[in-house]
Amino acid sequence: SLAHNFQLSSGINAEYGVEDEQQLLCQLPHSQVCIEKSEIKRVLIGLVDILFSFTFDHLTSCGEVSVESGWNICKVSSQLSWLYSPTSLRECLLLNFSRALTFPLYRHFDFCIRVLEDLKFIVSQGRPLILKCLLGVYDIFRKHEFYHLHNNVFIKDYCLWIQSINERQVKKLMDALNNLTTISKSDLPFPLEDFESLLNQNELESSDESDSSCLTGSSATEYTSSESESVDSVSDSDFQSDSFSRSKVDENDDVNMLCLSSAVENISLNKDFDDVDKTSRPLIEELD
């Protein structure tokens, strides 16, 4: 049965290599875990706690093991994070929900509901798929620097115990999950609905402020554009009239300069002629 491929309700393939499974099973000690009847219920609740955390990480990473997989599994599980064993199935899931909405990167209530649905599917498939998931947790922890200690305390014993458990006990666990009342946001230990209402109110206020700023910005741009157009028109007309008057002044200056230069030339010529007359007069007198 370990060679079968299972498909989760979310569409993610839960296949775990048969060769890898056989190698991991060979690493487990050849022993049998004996649990008293009074402790079976608590152990089954702890199994749900571990399966929920593994399913959460499995859906978060789309079936791929990441460097945060061990951290996610330990943080979502109350049993692995601080050695607390819930006394009821509802308490266990409420703790899983609250921790999944607090610690990991992806936190969403609807996502937790989807994890719970896949958890029910895993339990409905019986011991083979449950063992697959436990071996997946075992493989993730054994490669970690610190989390490998959880294998010695919890995961090894769960892997050995699930192989010898009676199928009727698994069916009873599935019936308990199906008969469990729906978990709502109001059941969580923190006011999630109040937080969401505050966030929605802040988003509405920010959207109103952005709309008002856009309106004021558009009116300001219209005013500045009209003002710039008027300024441009006045400056253009002034510049044109100013350039025209300057051109006239330049022309008058050119005419005056020509007149002045011609007058200077006439003066110099007359002066030269007067000098010639003065030098030539004595010669004429001598000849006379």
Side-chain angles (χ1 to χ4, degrees):
S1 60
L2 294 178
H4 293 175
N5 297 335
F6 296 96
Q7 195 77 11
L8 296 179
S9 61
S10 60
I12 299 175
N13 192 359
E15 180 182 1
Y16 195 78
V18 178
E19 295 181 358
D20 297 333
E21 288 176 350
Q22 291 177 352
Q23 292 178 0
L24 292 176
L25 288 173
C26 290
Q27 294 177 7
L28 297 177
H30 298 281
S31 60
Q32 186 176 2
V33 179
C34 297
I35 298 176
E36 298 180 359
K37 291 184 179 181
S38 59
E39 297 293 329
I40 291 178
K41 179 181 177 181
R42 186 175 61 86
V43 174
L44 287 174
I45 293 174
L47 177 64
V48 171
D49 179 67
I50 295 173
L51 291 178
F52 186 95
S53 60
F54 172 76
T55 308
F56 181 90
D57 177 74
H58 191 82
L59 293 179
T60 301
S61 59
C62 296
E64 296 292 334
V65 179
S66 63
V67 294
E68 297 293 332
S69 294
W71 186 87
N72 286 333
I73 295 172
C74 287
K75 284 298 180 181
V76 176
S77 171
S78 60
Q79 185 174 216
L80 298 177
S81 60
W82 52 300
L83 305 178
Y84 177 74
S85 297
T87 57
S88 65
L89 189 59
R90 186 173 182 81
E91 181 189 4
C92 174
L93 293 176
L94 286 176
L95 288 173
N96 291 138
F97 270 64
S98 60
R99 298 183 70 85
L101 293 172
T102 305
F103 294 105
L105 177 62
Y106 302 106
R107 303 182 295 271
H108 201 281
F109 184 80
D110 294 337
F111 184 74
C112 293
I113 295 295
R114 190 57 178 271
V115 173
L116 180 58
E117 293 177 358
D118 285 344
L119 171 63
K120 292 178 181 179
F121 175 80
I122 292 172
V123 177
S124 66
Q125 298 299 313
R127 293 182 301 171
L129 187 53
I130 295 175
L131 181 59
K132 277 179 177 289
C133 297
L134 291 174
L135 290 175
V137 176
Y138 180 84
D139 188 39
I140 292 172
F141 284 169
R142 73 185 180 93
K143 299 175 183 178
H144 199 272
E145 183 178 2
F146 303 108
Y147 295 148
H148 69 276
L149 298 175
H150 291 297
N151 286 338
N152 298 328
V153 178
F154 293 103
I155 309 303
K156 281 184 180 180
D157 293 338
Y158 268 110
C159 290
L160 295 173
W161 176 72
I162 198 65
Q163 298 180 62
S164 60
I165 192 176
N166 194 341
E167 284 287 349
R168 289 179 297 178
Q169 295 175 345
V170 179
K171 189 177 183 302
K172 289 181 181 179
L173 179 61
M174 184 62 201
D175 294 336
L177 288 172
N178 290 330
N179 296 329
L180 189 68
T181 57
T182 305
I183 296 177
S184 61
K185 297 178 181 179
S186 60
D187 297 330
L188 299 176
F190 43 81
L192 185 60
E193 294 178 342
D194 296 338
F195 294 159
E196 291 180 348
S197 62
L198 288 175
L199 289 175
N200 294 330
Q201 184 178 358
N202 292 331
E203 288 178 357
L204 290 175
E205 291 177 356
S206 61
S207 62
D208 293 338
E209 291 177 357
S210 62
D211 293 338
S212 61
S213 62
C214 290
L215 291 175
T216 54
S218 62
S219 60
T221 52
E222 290 177 358
Y223 175 75
T224 53
S225 62
S226 61
E227 186 178 4
S228 62
E229 288 177 358
S230 61
V231 170
D232 293 339
S233 61
V234 172
S235 61
D236 291 340
S237 61
D238 291 342
F239 178 76
Q240 290 176 359
S241 61
D242 205 12
S243 62
F244 181 71
S245 60
R246 285 181 181 177
S247 62
K248 285 186 176 182
V249 171
D250 293 338
E251 290 178 358
N252 293 329
D253 290 340
D254 294 339
V255 172
N256 293 330
M257 288 297 293
L258 289 173
C259 294
L260 182 62
S261 62
S262 61
V264 171
E265 288 178 357
N266 291 331
I267 292 171
S268 62
L269 288 174
N270 292 330
K271 185 178 180 181
D272 293 338
F273 283 128
D274 292 340
D275 294 338
V276 170
D277 292 338
K278 289 180 181 181
T279 54
S280 61
R281 279 177 184 177
L283 292 175
I284 293 171
E285 291 176 355
E286 290 177 1
L287 291 174
D288 292 340

